[in-house]
Amino acid sequence: MTNLKSRLTDLIAQSDLAVNEQQIDLLVAYVELLHKWNKAYNLTSVRDPEEMLVKHILDSIANGPYLHGDRFIDVGTGPGLPGIPLAILYPQRNFVLLDSLGKRITFLRQVVFQLKLSNVTPLLSRVEAYQPEVPFDGVLSRAFASLLDMVSWCEHLIDENGRFFALKGVLPEQELQQLPAGIELVAYHQVQVPELEGQRHLIELKKSNAL
């Protein structure tokens, strides 16, 4: 879909992101797969591939500059958001994509195979049941749960050096006030997503005993 490629190129040009042509091709290939599988698997309520470019691709990669670390787990990843777009943008980082629904993991395995993404591991599990051998640098979640639920369910996935990164819409001030003891706000960033209506924020949290 040449029009998708030129459309995505235009959207990226409206941002400060550095994305090369090969990465744009991979992002478009991912959208094409998502569009194709969506008809049978109902992976996302966004049906139009052009809308997916804004609401899924840009909305995921716009958070990239605020992330730090090498190993991430995307919890409740759904069809691979934000994990797949971020893995394409940052091939030197590793991403585990965790979801409890088999059809989503089947789709993600196909994406990994077709796009040859060596830095992505799809994983079928409930988040509370998964015990990583080594703690992650960051837990990512997009439209997954409240901040309270996110940190409660995912606390075992990071150590005192790790971070929780929650992709949100409007700044969730009430959720921030309800953070449990032992968790504190590091920063929040207002994220600019070209042509997306409404606000987007990235919330960064850590364990209070962290340095």
Side-chain angles (χ1 to χ4, degrees), residues 21 25 43 61 72 83 99 111 124 127 170 190:
E21 190 169 358
D25 287 342
L43 297 163
I61 63 176
F72 294 88
D99 204 277
V111 169
L124 178 63
V127 65
V170 175
Q190 185 155 6

Side-chain angles (χ1 to χ4, degrees), residues 112-151:
V112 167
F113 172 72
Q114 286 197 225
L115 304 189
K116 298 180 173 62
L117 299 177
S118 58
N119 62 333
V120 175
T121 308
L123 190 68
L124 178 63
S125 175
R126 294 187 64 80
V127 65
E128 54 271 37
Y130 173 59
Q131 296 293 335
E133 288 177 23
V134 180
F136 289 93
D137 297 327
V139 174
L140 301 168
S141 90
R142 176 183 186 261
F144 170 59
S146 69
L147 294 177
L148 180 60
D149 285 345
M150 181 194 179
V151 297

Side-chain angles (χ1 to χ4, degrees), residues 29-209:
Y30 168 60
V31 166
E32 289 175 349
L33 279 171
L34 183 52
H35 178 58
K36 179 182 167 187
W37 280 60
N38 203 34
K39 292 168 188 169
Y41 275 50
N42 199 24
L43 297 163
T44 167
S45 57
V46 182
R47 301 285 172 197
D48 176 14
E50 292 219 6
E51 263 189 77
M52 288 179 188
L53 294 179
V54 174
K55 292 182 176 175
H56 289 337
I57 302 301
L58 264 295
D59 191 43
S60 294
I61 63 176
N63 296 277
Y66 304 107
L67 303 179
H68 40 90
D70 297 317
R71 295 176 63 255
F72 294 88
I73 181 165
D74 177 6
V75 293
T77 185
L81 299 162
I84 292 285
L86 287 169
I88 289 170
L89 203 62
Y90 300 103
Q92 73 283 11
R93 293 172 164 174
N94 286 292
F95 294 83
V96 169
L97 308 189
L98 184 139
D99 204 277
S100 59
L101 208 57
K103 66 179 183 179
R104 293 173 183 157
I105 297 301
T106 302
F107 167 69
L108 289 172
R109 286 179 182 143
Q110 188 63 26
V111 169
V112 167
F113 172 72
Q114 286 197 225
L115 304 189
K116 298 180 173 62
L117 299 177
S118 58
N119 62 333
V120 175
T121 308
L123 190 68
L124 178 63
S125 175
R126 294 187 64 80
V127 65
E128 54 271 37
Y130 173 59
Q131 296 293 335
E133 288 177 23
V134 180
F136 289 93
D137 297 327
V139 174
L140 301 168
S141 90
R142 176 183 186 261
F144 170 59
S146 69
L147 294 177
L148 180 60
D149 285 345
M150 181 194 179
V151 297
S152 307
W153 296 338
C154 303
E155 204 168 351
H156 64 290
L157 301 175
I158 60 170
D159 60 16
E160 67 279 1
N161 300 311
R163 296 287 188 265
F164 299 99
F165 295 101
L167 284 67
K168 294 282 189 178
V170 175
L171 188 67
E173 294 187 31
Q174 195 174 350
E175 289 183 31
L176 287 167
Q177 287 165 12
Q178 293 166 349
L179 286 176
I183 300 291
E184 65 184 64
L185 175 68
V186 177
Y188 61 82
H189 309 279
Q190 185 155 6
V191 179
Q192 302 302 326
V193 181
E195 298 188 25
L196 186 72
E197 287 180 24
Q199 295 181 28
R200 300 300 284 156
H201 286 85
L202 179 69
I203 314 296
E204 182 180 348
L205 307 171
K206 68 173 182 178
K207 295 181 179 181
S208 299
N209 55 353

